[in-house]
Amino acid sequence: MSITDNFERRHIGPDAHDVEKMLHTIGVESLDQLIDETVPSKIRMQPPLDLPVGLSEREMLAELKKMASQNKIFKSYIGMGYYDCVTPPVILRNIMENPGWYTAYTPYQAEIAQGRLEALINYQTMVMDLTGMGIANASLLDEGTAAAEAMHMLWELRGKDKGNTFFVSENCFPQTIDVVITRANPLGIKVVIGDHNKIEFNDDLFGILVQYPDAKGSVENYFDLCTKAHEQGVTVAVAADLLSLTLLTAPGEFGADVVVGSTQRFGVPMGFGGPHAAYFATKDDFKRQMPGRIIGVSIDSYGNKAYRMALQTREQHIRREKATSNICTAQVLLAVMAGMYAVYHGSEGIKNIGKQVNTNARLVSAELEKLGYKQTNKHFFDTLYIETGDTQLTSKIRQEALVRHINLRYFDGHAIGISIDETTNLNDVNELISVFAKAKGINAVTVGNIEYNDKYKSDYPAGIARQSAYLTHPVFNMHHSETEMLRYMKSLENKDLSLAHSMIPLGSCTMKLNATTEMIPVTWPEFGGLHPFAPADQVQGYYQLFKELEQQLCVITGFHSVSLQPNSGAQGEYAGLLVIRDYFKDRGETHRTVALIPQSAHGTNPASAVLAGMRVVVTRTDEHGNIDVDDIRQKAEQYKDELACLMVTYPSTHGVFEESIRDICALIHQYGGQVYMDGANMNAQVGLTSPALIGADVCHLNLHKTFCIPHGGGGPGMGPIGVAMHLAPYLPGHAVVKTGGEKAEHAVSAAPWGSASILLISYVYIRMMGGEGLTNATKFAILNANYIKARLDGYYSTLYSGKNGRCAHEMILDTRKFKNTAGVEVEDIAKRLMDYGFHAPTVSFPVAGTLMIEPTESEPKPELDRFCDAMISIKKEIDEIELGLSDKVDNVLKNAPHTAASLITDEWNHKYSRQKAAYPMDWSKTNKFWPTVGRVNNTFGDRNLICSCPAVEEYEEQHAE
């Protein structure tokens, strides 16, 4: 590999010349000296990571082509919630493959995320319209998880006279049932699986889950079930196929209390299981109990409409152990794609796709019945249930189908499922019919276009046929040409700040480079076009990926085994805690339920512990921000008979390598507990130390942080867990595909390997960096953070430092004193940074009134300097207020951010100049990112909650000429 083709030098920002200057500013002679002064010697890793030398980008793509060639692209009619679909190229190129969309962060800073927020409002509106429900969130992880969240919410809402039994129809998807059982067990919820027509209503039953259409494809009328349930005070959740709702009665219209499902078939590739955006819709009465993020409409400081994340006080980072969900991420990028699919096709287009699917299914059903097969679904949308009555005939059908590269679903020896999708055409229909004919030794009659067009129209009876309109808002009815669609998406992209514009210095969020080469294979059909339940011999490329990535992560963490199933960081926490729970259960120590969690822990930690059936005991931190060892010791002693685990983040959430970490882990083990390490800060560990070396038993890894999966504007994410040898038997299993340890119970995700297609990104990153490159990345992450700390010294004080005055890969700036000296809040600094073209650091976490900064290793020195210059300039603006040179109320910080519209006016009534507002630094004059709204009014948005596209009348008024 030539030096010019070295990926490490592309990924790491500073060059050798810059490093010399940075080290001088910090006050050390070498990078190794800085690392020695930062990372405690007692936890340092020796020797270096045992990983191969890094590949060049060209070599990596060649290797991936070989891997991809092991995957066989069959025509899959397996269904079960996963369907082939057409991703409109204009959406594929301009959203899924566009760094302007996939490198943005979660829209906590609404003023520079208006495009994404509008796209999510479109998504929510789409879901609300099709389901007939009062409110929807901005996506969940997958359909199984959404169903589990529905059960949990209905359990929390149950009346005082109701117990703990939740009924699940036996005709729900098996993976959904699996995930629901996983969620139910630690909470003490009893799951009863059976025929929904034979439910025994009693005082212990609080909720019901049914599938619509069900797993066999049958479309049932649930009106009577919902009516009877409500008469008994029982709530009903419906897992519904969203495309089917273009033709079928909306669940909200027959009485559903919650509707969940997947939006995968709205233009999102199957990807061997993900990532896909699950939807969750419910009654407006339940909005404050609904899990996940909700996007709402508010106003900005100029009275203009503005979007924002609404009702955030519901979320885990605020409610912690009192939260009813541990959800920290969504599937924003995929939700945006699904919403844009509806925008592009519109109401009529979506309906026509639904009609096409149903027509093809009806055609196949009719032709198979002519061949003597029995199709048992009286009403269906896309899925047929064929009874062969003969295992030998079934075997012949399977053999013939495989010869023609066709996958069907085989229920048992006597029944076959066929799920038609958007990509099914007349040739496919004839191919299917031919398979079944040949198995019987019959010559199939080819169906022609005349029969195809004139017969088998959708003909549902009253109560099943949809009567209500949907997607009536103008946004779904005006962007149907590619020109219009391209311009609409670009207009939204222009409203969002992403890594394509500037560094995003969020602490604990690791917004590093998502290299193009890492992203390229995700949309290759050999990876994107595979069904998650395809036979193993068709997906050997994926199996190679899983095996090698698991081995790589074991080397990096020092652990024995890894599960790739959890598809978010918080779900990784949950999965890791369930492993600990199952370990103690197997040992007969079910009384061990106490989780010790430091005050400084991530908000998801206590929420995950509660969901795993544990009792949270909070431990103190000392004045230096470290875990209070004496308090840990006292509480470990106090709860020694009940102690299950300690949840700890390392380096700490305060951005410091704590010297006592190994002693703390040993202390927990001494009292019989396990150590769960939150892997959010692995960016400061890789190659220098490891969770296993430190003393942890289990750790989740945020692949969307340390290992380069893009944040996607708030998702997707992946959160695999690594475990020590004694915990390996309890890694999560799956109801459909065997995964996990030998004592595995149920799944935490709907798909066996979670969001499998984006595992490619982390795999490619690790392979191209190699062991030495990964270690250097960690060193440079620490270098960049300490350089910022040194440059800002004297302007801002760093709240916590290590014993040598160093921070880890991130630091917390204490800005609380400015409230007293200048009336400046931390939010004012965050909003003013937008005028300089930067996203704010993490605001008020983990300490209220502070800024948490993480530059990552990918940012070069000029960008670090640009950010530091902006922060120093803002400090001078604060000084002006303190000195009385600027007004305490009417100043650039209090009025930030400034929009172009607010500056280009005839009147300017502020006590500072337009130039100071808009162009605070010379470089902002040539490369200005303009926020499109002023400061968003959060209180107004929550008091006047609107979570869908504005009313048609309001839209027309705003866009009137």
Side-chain angles (χ1 to χ4, degrees), residues 849-925:
T850 65
L851 292 171
M852 190 180 191
I853 300 171
E854 179 182 0
T856 83
E857 71 274 11
S858 298
E859 295 300 341
K861 181 177 179 292
E863 184 70 357
L864 300 177
D865 284 331
R866 204 167 68 89
F867 172 73
C868 290
D869 290 344
M871 289 296 295
I872 291 169
S873 178
I874 289 174
K875 175 58 172 63
K876 292 177 180 177
E877 292 171 350
I878 296 172
D879 293 343
E880 291 174 356
I881 300 171
E882 292 174 337
L883 295 171
L885 301 176
S886 293
D887 189 87
K888 257 197 169 184
V889 176
D890 184 25
N891 58 66
V892 287
L893 283 104
K894 286 295 181 184
N895 293 328
H898 297 83
T899 65
S902 71
L903 292 158
I904 307 172
T905 59
D906 292 335
E907 293 186 11
W908 181 257
N909 298 319
H910 296 296
K911 299 178 180 178
Y912 52 90
S913 69
R914 286 181 169 93
Q915 177 163 324
K916 184 169 186 175
Y919 302 119
M921 306 290 286
D922 285 341
W923 41 257
S924 62
K925 295 177 182 178

Side-chain angles (χ1 to χ4, degrees), residues 191-204:
V191 175
V192 174
I193 302 167
D195 184 344
H196 68 268
N197 293 306
K198 300 177 181 178
I199 295 176
E200 293 184 11
F201 287 91
N202 54 51
D203 290 342
D204 201 54

Side-chain angles (χ1 to χ4, degrees), residues 606-668:
S608 296
V610 170
L611 289 187
M614 296 183 180
R615 180 158 60 98
V616 174
V617 174
V618 178
T619 68
R620 292 195 297 266
T621 53
D622 62 23
E623 67 273 17
H624 302 295
N626 299 320
I627 293 174
D628 188 323
V629 179
D630 290 336
D631 190 51
I632 284 272
R633 183 179 292 107
Q634 183 269 319
K635 287 187 168 65
E637 168 66 29
Q638 179 181 351
Y639 296 102
K640 61 184 178 182
D641 296 329
E642 305 164 77
L643 180 62
C645 67
L646 166 72
M647 295 189 77
V648 61
T649 302
Y650 199 78
S652 76
T653 312
H654 292 154
V656 175
F657 283 95
E658 299 188 35
E659 300 282 338
S660 58
I661 187 63
R662 293 191 75 173
D663 295 334
I664 291 170
C665 293
L667 180 67
I668 298 302

Side-chain angles (χ1 to χ4, degrees), residues 245-263:
L245 301 184
T246 60
L247 305 182
L248 304 179
T249 298
E253 294 172 4
F254 60 64
D257 297 286
V258 186
V259 190
V260 300
S262 173
T263 61

Side-chain angles (χ1 to χ4, degrees), residues 157-192:
L157 287 166
R158 72 196 189 283
K160 294 182 180 179
D161 59 337
K162 291 296 173 184
N164 293 310
T165 297
F166 187 68
F167 184 93
V168 178
S169 170
E170 62 193 4
N171 286 330
C172 288
F173 293 139
Q175 70 272 19
T176 296
I177 297 174
D178 209 28
V179 176
V180 166
I181 292 172
T182 300
R183 177 66 64 89
N185 284 341
L187 301 175
I189 298 173
K190 178 184 178 183
V191 175
V192 174

Side-chain angles (χ1 to χ4, degrees), residues 352-609:
N352 287 336
I353 292 170
K355 286 180 177 179
Q356 174 186 309
V357 168
N358 184 244
T359 295
N360 284 334
R362 288 174 180 273
L363 178 55
V364 173
S365 176
E367 294 301 314
L368 293 188
E369 287 180 358
K370 291 177 184 178
L371 295 173
Y373 292 96
K374 183 181 180 182
Q375 200 288 114
T376 64
N377 291 330
K378 182 179 180 181
H379 303 297
F380 55 86
F381 171 64
D382 63 353
T383 299
L384 310 177
Y385 187 79
I386 310 295
E387 291 186 352
T388 64
D390 184 345
T391 55
Q392 188 174 8
L393 178 57
T394 300
S395 179
K396 287 182 179 179
I397 293 170
R398 184 197 293 261
Q399 291 171 15
E400 183 62 28
L402 290 175
V403 166
R404 300 175 188 237
H405 286 195
I406 291 174
N407 290 325
L408 303 173
R409 183 182 178 193
Y410 302 93
F411 287 86
D412 52 39
H414 301 280
I416 297 175
I418 305 173
S419 292
I420 304 299
D421 59 50
E422 178 189 3
T423 68
T424 307
N425 58 31
L426 188 56
N427 290 333
D428 298 321
V429 166
N430 281 313
E431 188 83 352
L432 274 170
I433 295 167
S434 181
V435 167
F436 282 81
K438 189 167 183 178
K440 280 192 171 186
I442 302 172
N443 291 323
V445 176
T446 301
V447 179
N449 283 320
I450 295 176
E451 294 174 283
Y452 177 69
N453 290 326
D454 293 345
K455 300 175 69 174
Y456 313 117
K457 300 294 185 183
S458 301
D459 185 24
Y460 296 115
I464 291 180
R466 178 148 197 159
Q467 301 297 322
S468 57
Y470 49 85
L471 305 184
T472 58
H473 189 273
V475 75
F476 299 108
N477 294 283
M478 59 190 298
H479 304 297
H480 299 162
S481 75
E482 180 159 336
T483 301
E484 292 168 315
M485 189 66 186
L486 178 65
R487 288 171 181 164
Y488 178 62
M489 291 188 297
K490 190 65 179 178
S491 72
L492 298 189
E493 180 190 342
N494 290 341
K495 297 178 181 180
D496 278 17
L497 186 142
S498 70
L499 283 176
H501 296 93
S502 62
M503 70 180 286
I504 299 178
L506 287 147
S508 194
C509 292
T510 317
M511 299 294 295
K512 65 167 68 177
L513 170 69
N514 314 124
T516 304
T517 301
E518 295 158 9
M519 304 299 296
I520 283 175
V522 174
T523 52
W524 287 354
E526 295 90 345
F527 292 116
L530 272 60
H531 194 287
F533 304 145
D537 63 348
Q538 296 175 20
V539 293
Q540 288 302 301
Y542 260 119
Y543 279 26
Q544 179 186 341
L545 167 70
F546 300 150
K547 180 180 179 181
E548 292 187 21
L549 181 57
E550 287 173 5
Q551 291 172 341
Q552 292 164 353
L553 296 179
C554 283
V555 169
I556 289 166
T557 60
F559 284 130
H560 178 273
S561 300
V562 165
S563 169
L564 301 173
Q565 190 178 116
N567 55 7
S568 81
Q571 196 175 79
E573 294 174 12
Y574 177 59
L577 293 172
L578 290 180
V579 166
I580 291 173
R581 182 177 181 273
D582 288 346
Y583 167 73
F584 283 126
K585 177 183 175 183
D586 196 34
R587 290 164 57 92
E589 298 182 77
T590 55
H591 55 281
R592 289 194 174 271
T593 58
V594 168
L596 302 183
I597 303 179
Q599 288 174 328
S600 60
H602 285 102
T604 51
N605 287 179
S608 296

